[in-house]
Amino acid sequence: QVQLVESGGGLVQAGGSLRLSCAVSGRTFSAYVMGWFRQAPGKEREFVSRITWSGGSTRYADSAKGRFTIYRDNAKNTVYLQMNSLKPEDTAVYFCAARLISRDEYTYWGQGTQVTVTV
């Protein structure tokens, strides 16, 4: 059974940092793309960043560029999202997701972790 389990969310002041983790299990993800998404109250879910599990190619939303870094630890089967210089508008539930490289749609999703940034 495929599982994606996020952790690392919390409450932080503006300008602070958090590191989110996504522990993956249940299959080999070498042919997968791992993504981070977020959903703020009253808003649609939006893409934040993604990384290919095998080659480590990354992509970021404009809102994340220069502040967030996505990376993975193959030995730990974990994908991370390092978030620096956090802003109140980064407040959202953050989700980890996975899709095959050949697909556009993310197939597997975690349960989400809350990030709250205060002024």
Side-chain angles (χ1 to χ4, degrees), residues 13-68:
Q13 286 188 327
S17 299
L18 283 174
R19 188 182 74 165
L20 305 183
S21 300
C22 174
V24 302
S25 63
R27 70 176 309 126
T28 301
F29 281 85
S30 59
Y32 278 73
V33 176
M34 304 300 300
W36 283 99
F37 292 77
R38 67 186 183 186
Q39 187 167 19
K43 295 187 177 181
E44 293 188 353
R45 186 169 58 197
E46 64 176 4
F47 168 78
V48 177
S49 183
R50 66 94 169 134
I51 186 169
T52 58
W53 194 271
S54 58
S57 171
T58 60
R59 184 168 292 177
Y60 297 90
D62 287 344
S63 59
K65 288 179 182 176
R67 299 188 301 127
F68 295 1

